[in-house]
Amino acid sequence: QVQLVESGGGLVQAGASLRLSCKASGFSLYHFDIGWFRQAPGKDRERISCISARGGSTDYADSVRGRFTISRDEAKMTVYLQMNSLKPDDTAVYYCATDFELGCRAHSVYDFDYWGRGTQVTVSS
């Protein structure tokens, strides 16, 4: 059974850092792309970063580029999202997801088939 479990969220002040983890099980992480998404109250879910299988390429939304870094550790079956210089606008529930066909080439968040339950990140000003 495919499972993705996020962790590492919390309440921090503006300017702080957090590292989110996405633990995968039930499939071979080595072969698949993983994306990070977030959804703030009253807003659509947005894709913020994606990393290809084996980490050959990454992409970032303009809103996080230069502050967030995505990485993966195949041995630990985990994908990370290092978030630095956090802002109140980063407050959201953060999700990881995968899609076995399109992966990072997917254009819509709805193309991603497997999702974790999310972890809350709250940034106070």
Side-chain angles (χ1 to χ4, degrees):
Q1 181 181 0
V2 174
Q3 278 197 319
L4 296 168
V5 179
E6 303 92 341
S7 63
L11 171 63
V12 297
Q13 290 188 327
S17 297
L18 281 174
R19 188 177 78 160
L20 304 184
S21 299
C22 172
K23 176 76 171 179
S25 62
F27 68 103
S28 178
L29 179 66
Y30 180 79
H31 295 291
F32 298 106
D33 304 351
I34 299 290
W36 278 100
F37 304 77
R38 67 185 181 187
Q39 188 164 20
K43 295 187 177 180
D44 293 334
R45 189 168 299 188
E46 65 169 328
R47 169 173 161 170
I48 55 174
S49 187
C50 200
I51 186 166
S52 65
R54 295 173 291 286
S57 66
T58 58
D59 64 62
Y60 298 92
D62 290 343
S63 58
V64 306
R65 187 176 293 112
R67 299 188 297 124
F68 291 11
T69 303
I70 192 170
S71 62
R72 57 194 294 156
D73 185 331
E74 311 298 347
K76 294 183 179 179
M77 291 283 285
T78 301
V79 175
Y80 302 99
L81 186 69
Q82 178 67 42
M83 308 188 296
N84 298 329
S85 303
L86 283 162
K87 306 174 182 179
D89 284 349
D90 294 318
T91 295
V93 178
Y94 283 70
Y95 302 88
C96 59
T98 189
D99 175 75
F100 289 168
E101 294 187 24
L102 296 175
C104 293
R105 293 178 291 118
H107 292 295
S108 168
V109 298
Y110 302 107
D111 290 329
F112 285 78
D113 292 329
Y114 301 99
W115 292 82
R117 293 188 175 183
T119 185
Q120 175 71 47
V121 172
T122 303
V123 184
S124 64
S125 57

